[in-house]
Amino acid sequence: MAALIAENFRFLSLFFKSKDVMIFNGLVALGTVGSEELFSVVAFNCPCSPARNYIYGLAAIGVPALALFLIGVIWNNHTWNLVAECHKRGIKNFSAAATFLLFGSIMGRAAVAPVTWSVISLLRGEAYICALSEFVRPSSLDKFPAEYGADVLARFPCKDVPANLTKFRDEVTRRLRYESQLFGWLLIGIVAVLVFLTKCLKHCCSPLSYRQEAYWAQYRSNEDKLFRRTAEVHSRILAAKNVKQFFGFVALDKEEKELVQEFPVEGVQPSPQWNAITGVYIYRENKGFPLYSRLHKWAKGVEGNGPSPEAHEMLFLAS
């Protein structure tokens, strides 16, 4: 148990440090596997009761998957960029292809954890066996006693059955586990094919060369890192100035005093500037020169969000 908990804490630590999409998705899948194992150990307990097994089994697979999907949507930056875009400018400037790419990016990233949860649940088989044991037809079992029905079959996952039904319980469990694992492997195959086709389509439709796309990814990562770091320092210095104005002094440690002296902050950025650098961004070029982000576009003084002779929309989203 302690090892599982430690594994999940290590996953969370790496999760927030990861910048690469493939590493990010891998860590999400790894954390989901650990969480599913932990859930199976401490939480899953089939009721072994007719009508309840089916609901409980499906809920054990579906509800955590739904929760993980919603968490994935919430944690995706594209989600809130889309919300800001719709609130400030609407999406009328985006073509159908660009909108599809945006939603596909959000849904695809958010689906990693729930798909992993569903696959692991199916490969383990406990939830599937719990949900469907009562629906096994007694006539499909050779020499199954006629006096027993669905109520006894529903107790098979708990092994709480008469001694003369032990061999039937083993057969039902083996049959249902086979079906569950088969669906799990099929789901893995389907997802693998979809990921492969998506990657091929993305690279085929990309207007960028491989090296320029790699540079764009590096630029986005560096811009985000520097922006967050600078925003943290700027907000701290501004807060220090306002606190000093209220109290007449401000209690700063040595590092904060050096920051205040090194980076004088005169004011705050007006709302139009924040709005200009916030929202969905699709790769564009201006007079043949790339614009890698909304901040880059704002710094170059390029106005407008829609395609024009000078600002060409390339219909390519960041990963």
Side-chain angles (χ1 to χ4, degrees):
M1 181 65 66
L4 286 174
I5 295 174
E7 177 186 8
N8 280 273
F9 275 112
R10 286 195 297 270
F11 156 72
L12 289 174
S13 176
L14 291 172
F15 178 90
F16 289 107
K17 295 178 181 178
S18 174
K19 300 299 182 183
D20 184 80
V21 173
M22 297 302 294
I23 295 177
F24 176 91
N25 291 340
L27 291 174
V28 171
L30 178 61
T32 305
V33 171
S35 300
E36 205 279 339
E37 291 290 337
L38 181 62
F39 173 80
S40 298
V41 171
V42 302
F44 185 81
N45 188 17
C46 184
C48 293
S49 174
R52 295 180 180 177
N53 284 12
Y54 184 69
I55 297 175
Y56 185 83
L58 291 185
I61 299 175
V63 173
L66 176 62
L68 289 169
F69 177 78
L70 295 177
I71 291 173
V73 172
I74 292 171
W75 277 352
N76 194 325
N77 290 335
H78 282 327
T79 301
W80 306 114
N81 283 334
L82 178 62
V83 171
E85 189 72 27
C86 293
H87 177 66
K88 296 297 181 182
R89 290 172 285 268
I91 59 174
K92 58 182 180 297
N93 292 321
F94 291 143
S95 65
T99 304
F100 175 79
L101 284 174
L102 176 61
F103 278 101
S105 174
I106 295 173
M107 298 298 108
R109 183 76 64 84
V112 173
V115 168
T116 304
W117 177 278
S118 300
V119 166
I120 297 302
S121 296
L122 290 172
L123 292 180
R124 288 180 60 89
E126 281 86 350
Y128 188 90
I129 293 172
C130 177
L132 297 181
S133 62
E134 65 181 286
F135 297 105
V136 174
R137 291 185 297 107
S139 60
S140 67
L141 302 173
D142 186 32
K143 298 180 181 180
F144 187 82
E147 63 270 21
Y148 297 113
D151 56 335
V152 173
L153 290 170
R155 288 157 49 193
F156 277 10
C158 297
K159 303 180 180 180
D160 181 20
V161 297
N164 63 325
L165 297 181
T166 300
K167 67 175 184 178
F168 298 106
R169 176 183 59 79
D170 293 340
E171 181 179 349
V172 169
T173 300
R174 184 169 56 252
R175 182 187 302 179
L176 293 178
R177 179 168 281 111
Y178 154 76
E179 293 178 1
S180 179
Q181 292 182 349
L182 177 62
F183 290 139
W185 291 119
L186 288 176
L187 182 57
I188 290 176
I190 292 171
V191 171
V193 171
L194 289 177
V195 170
F196 172 74
L197 293 177
T198 301
K199 295 292 290 184
C200 290
L201 182 63
K202 174 186 174 183
H203 287 289
C204 288
C205 297
S206 172
L208 307 179
S209 66
Y210 172 78
R211 291 188 180 277
Q212 188 178 8
E213 188 175 339
Y215 177 85
W216 186 24
Q218 292 174 341
Y219 173 85
R220 292 196 314 272
S221 176
N222 288 325
E223 181 189 83
D224 182 69
K225 179 171 60 179
L226 292 173
F227 187 92
R228 290 177 182 273
R229 187 189 306 167
T230 304
E232 196 277 333
V233 172
H234 186 281
S235 61
R236 184 184 303 183
I237 296 173
L238 181 63
K241 291 181 61 177
N242 293 336
V243 170
K244 182 177 181 180
Q245 185 173 354
F246 183 83
F247 287 105
F249 72 97
V250 59
L252 300 174
D253 57 28
K254 182 178 179 181
E255 179 184 355
E256 290 170 334
K257 289 179 180 178
E258 293 175 353
L259 289 176
V260 171
Q261 294 175 356
E262 184 176 358
F263 305 110
V265 174
E266 301 299 332
V268 297
Q269 287 66 35
S271 294
Q273 287 187 10
W274 286 103
N275 293 337
I277 66 170
T278 303
V280 178
Y281 185 75
I282 298 176
Y283 178 80
R284 291 179 172 84
E285 293 183 357
N286 183 42
K287 298 181 179 178
F289 290 93
L291 299 173
Y292 290 121
S293 68
R294 282 196 173 277
L295 181 60
H296 188 192
K297 180 180 175 182
W298 172 84
K300 291 296 183 181
V302 178
E303 300 293 336
N305 189 46
S308 67
E310 294 186 352
H312 182 57
E313 179 182 344
M314 302 299 288
L315 301 181
F316 190 60
L317 273 173
S319 299

